[in-house]
Amino acid sequence: MKEVTSLLFLQNVMLICSWSLDDVCDADDIKCKNPQILTPGEITYGQCYRHAALRRLLKVSFLTCLKECMKTSTCSNVSYRRDWKMCDINGNINSEMELVQEHGCFSSNISSWSKKLVACATQSCAEGYRCAVKGEEITCEIAWNRLRKMLIHVGENLDTSNTELCGQFIGPAVSGQVIITPCNTLPKGHLVKLTSVNTVPTVFHLTEVEVYGVE
Ligand SMILES: *[C@@H]1O[C@H](CO)[C@@H](O)[C@H](O)[C@H]1NC(C)=O
Ligand SMILES: *[C@@H]1O[C@H](CO)[C@@H](O)[C@H](O)[C@H]1NC(C)=O
């Protein structure tokens, strides 16, 4: 009996060790390299989506990226940039969104990974939410939110009472949207303050901000 158990145990260990994510994880990140699942999912190397991210996480491992996608409702796949350890949690990919050749970036279809990666994966949450384990319970919590309203102020310091309102954006925004706000007047200052006015305090994602002025 004892031998049978140890044989089974050995087989299990071999199955777990027969593959690893060496090529997508940091050399010292043992947890990322050996997730406790039997087979890895699909990974498309050198290709990523642009403007498909619902959420972008920085300084996370590829494994954390997969887990976050699995927890987030409507996440279909991830794009991961290894040099920056940057994880894009991609929502529904429509026909206009294409995989773009990008060195050092790879994408993965989340349905190809075992749900065992995440304890709460069986819970389905509404759009904008992610599943979470709180003690014994599995719940849903807010994961991301569309930018609904943004105020743009120009002035000499961050105190909005001393700055002038340049303009505002009324959303909700969509993924990849380019927001252009011309100032209604010609406010002076060397500081531009962007304020997200949302009903719930969530992270405010802007990929890039460009400011144009006249001297
Ligand atoms: C990402 O997900 C979309 C929608 O399910 C799919 O069409 C696309 O092929 C997926 N891409 C990868 C790299 O898995
Ligand atoms: C994603 O993976 C699942 C499971 O392996 C597969 O059924 C599905 O066709 C894949 N989707 C795409 C778009 O490759």
Side-chain angles (χ1 to χ4, degrees):
M1 188 60 203
K2 214 173 175 186
E3 263 159 50
V4 176
T5 351
S6 55
L7 200 71
L8 273 177
F9 177 69
L10 199 72
Q11 211 175 22
N12 221 347
V13 168
M14 277 167 64
L15 270 174
I16 288 168
C17 298
S18 60
W19 64 277
S20 74
L21 292 173
D22 289 4
D23 48 351
V24 293
C25 294
D26 280 354
D28 58 354
D29 195 343
I30 309 294
K31 235 181 167 172
C32 174
K33 289 197 321 194
N34 299 293
Q36 302 294 301
I37 50 173
L38 293 184
T39 49
E42 297 161 15
I43 298 176
T44 309
Y45 292 91
Q47 293 188 346
C48 275
Y49 291 98
R50 305 255 168 97
H51 312 305
L54 297 171
R55 296 168 65 198
R56 172 168 279 179
L57 311 172
L58 292 171
K59 296 189 184 151
V60 296
S61 72
F62 179 60
L63 184 62
T64 304
C65 187
L66 288 175
K67 287 184 178 177
E68 270 311 310
C69 174
M70 214 170 261
K71 288 177 192 170
T72 308
S73 73
T74 65
C75 176
S76 63
N77 49 46
V78 299
S79 291
Y80 187 77
R81 291 166 178 92
R82 197 177 165 177
D83 288 350
W84 297 301
K85 295 171 77 90
M86 185 163 95
C87 164
D88 280 359
I89 306 279
N90 298 327
N92 290 326
I93 308 283
N94 62 41
S95 51
E96 285 158 38
M97 297 174 182
E98 282 175 5
L99 278 171
V100 180
Q101 298 280 350
E102 187 180 327
H103 182 73
C105 193
F106 45 86
S107 300
S108 185
N109 169 0
I110 199 64
S111 339
S112 66
W113 292 85
S114 162
K115 286 234 183 322
K116 291 205 175 111
L117 275 180
V118 164
C120 63
T122 48
Q123 176 78 15
S124 56
C125 296
E127 188 183 19
Y129 286 76
R130 68 197 276 284
C131 73
V133 181
K134 290 260 158 69
E136 303 271 284
E137 244 179 278
I138 294 180
T139 58
C140 293
E141 55 185 37
I142 289 180
W144 53 272
N145 230 298
R146 295 281 178 216
L147 178 62
R148 301 208 175 262
K149 184 174 174 186
M150 179 172 68
L151 302 178
I152 298 112
H153 286 92
V154 177
E156 295 296 341
N157 56 54
L158 283 174
D159 181 3
T160 317
S161 58
N162 295 326
T163 57
E164 198 178 328
L165 183 70
C166 149
Q168 59 181 340
F169 163 75
I170 306 288
V174 296
S175 285
Q177 181 171 355
V178 177
I179 300 167
I180 298 173
T181 311
C183 290
N184 299 322
T185 57
L186 278 176
K188 279 186 198 164
H190 59 257
L191 211 130
V192 176
K193 182 181 177 185
L194 309 178
T195 313
S196 160
V197 188
N198 275 348
T199 43
V200 260
T202 48
V203 190
F204 174 19
H205 280 284
L206 291 175
T207 313
E208 219 168 72
V209 177
E210 288 181 15
V211 177
Y212 296 90
V214 282
E215 270 190 281

